[in-house]
Amino acid sequence: MAIVTAAHAPSRMPTPRSVVPIVALDVRTAREAEALVRRLDVHCDFYKVGLELFTAEGPSIVRWLRQSGKRVFLDLKLHDIPNTVRGAARNAASLGVSLLTVHASGGSEMVRAAVEGAREAVETTDAHSGVLPAAADGRHDTPCGILGVTILTSLDGAAVDRAWGRSGSDVVTEVVRLAGVVREGGGVGIVCSGHEAAAVTAAHGAEFGTLVPGIRLPGGPQHDQRRVMTPRDAAAAGARWIILGRAVTGDPDPVAAILAVHAELASGS
């Protein structure tokens, strides 16, 4: 099986401030995922595979995306003892994924184990996939980037209080604190809402990336997200990556929706 390289990937529309749009394949089957990827065609070359699709289809859907010249963000939110996370990250990186998530609350040692596992995958090509690891910038000679999940965008301060047995939790403060845990462990960035992105950049520097889910086009529904933001506002807040879920996949015309995202990002440049 041929190794997929960045040269084989289709051209993609440029976006300002190096914001990278990632479309979430939050569907039940590989058939649905493949249909959406083919429909979006050259308008997107970076896709998120999350728990629903991965538990249904396993590594095969990641291999199909890589063989199709697409970059993959594998959103598994790993949270276990460091040795287990290290092995899981090694296996994920061997599939050629560019980004992989772990829970920041697992601690810096766990994050570091994931980083080390991803790095180990560079040295050996997965015997089943034949695809070398791909970094978030599309290169194939560096580990996949490890991102720490901080506070889910479905939660607000009151929900955090209930979950953690606290009172008066400030989401921004917690996100910045957890970002420090991820940075200490060697992660490339965190997942947070756009409302915390600027504070994270101010505290940890522009090289420490933020991936922002909960993106909605102006006037679009929030669904089950509580801390949402438009693509333009996320870019202005300093997001490096944005996740496009139901704002694109739930639209009757996903191509028109992603083109609207590109247009909004361009209008903010």
Side-chain angles (χ1 to χ4, degrees):
M1 184 180 296
I3 293 174
V4 178
T5 66
H8 295 134
S11 60
R12 56 188 182 275
M13 297 181 68
T15 55
R17 300 182 183 85
S18 300
V19 179
V20 180
I22 302 175
V23 169
L25 295 175
D26 293 333
V27 295
R28 296 181 178 181
T29 67
R31 178 176 295 182
E32 293 174 276
E34 291 168 9
L36 179 60
V37 171
R38 291 191 178 102
R39 187 170 183 181
L40 293 178
D41 196 23
V42 299
H43 303 299
C44 180
D45 77 340
F46 211 150
Y47 289 90
K48 186 197 88 167
V49 173
L51 290 170
E52 181 178 15
L53 183 58
F54 195 78
T55 53
E57 302 292 349
S60 63
I61 187 61
V62 176
R63 295 189 185 108
W64 180 84
L65 286 163
R66 296 294 297 124
Q67 291 157 15
S68 300
K70 307 299 184 181
R71 292 180 288 172
V72 178
F73 162 39
L74 189 56
D75 187 22
L76 297 185
K77 301 180 178 69
L78 302 175
H79 192 168
D80 212 312
I81 63 172
N83 190 57
T84 298
V85 169
R86 180 174 185 155
R90 184 191 308 116
N91 289 341
S94 294
L95 293 171
V97 305
S98 297
L99 295 169
L100 173 69
T101 49
V102 303
H103 267 290
S105 58
S108 60
E109 183 180 352
M110 190 198 76
V111 175
R112 187 174 299 109
V115 171
E116 291 170 353
R119 185 177 296 118
E120 290 167 3
V122 175
E123 302 171 1
T124 57
T125 302
D126 185 272
H128 298 292
S129 70
V131 180
L132 290 175
D137 59 7
R139 294 181 298 170
H140 296 262
D141 57 352
T142 55
C144 76
I146 300 300
L147 295 171
V149 176
T150 56
I151 305 296
L152 299 176
T153 53
S154 58
L155 303 178
D156 56 16
V160 171
D161 283 346
R162 291 192 296 272
W164 291 357
R166 298 182 179 180
S167 61
S169 294
D170 179 74
V171 170
V172 175
T173 299
E174 289 298 328
V175 168
V176 171
R177 179 185 66 81
L178 289 168
V181 172
V182 176
R183 187 181 178 192
E184 181 182 353
V188 299
I190 63 165
V191 181
C192 66
S193 88
H195 298 284
E196 297 93 49
V200 171
T201 299
H204 299 288
E207 291 305 308
F208 189 75
T210 53
L211 182 149
V212 175
I215 296 296
R216 296 290 183 268
L217 286 165
Q222 291 192 192
H223 299 295
D224 56 355
Q225 307 282 5
R226 299 195 181 180
R227 303 190 326 279
V228 301
M229 186 167 278
T230 67
R232 185 190 307 173
D233 288 342
R240 184 178 301 175
W241 308 275
I242 58 173
I243 297 295
L244 305 170
R246 283 167 284 188
V248 169
T249 61
D251 194 283
D253 187 346
V255 173
I258 197 167
L259 289 176
V261 170
H262 287 304
E264 173 160 320
L265 288 171
S267 70
S269 60

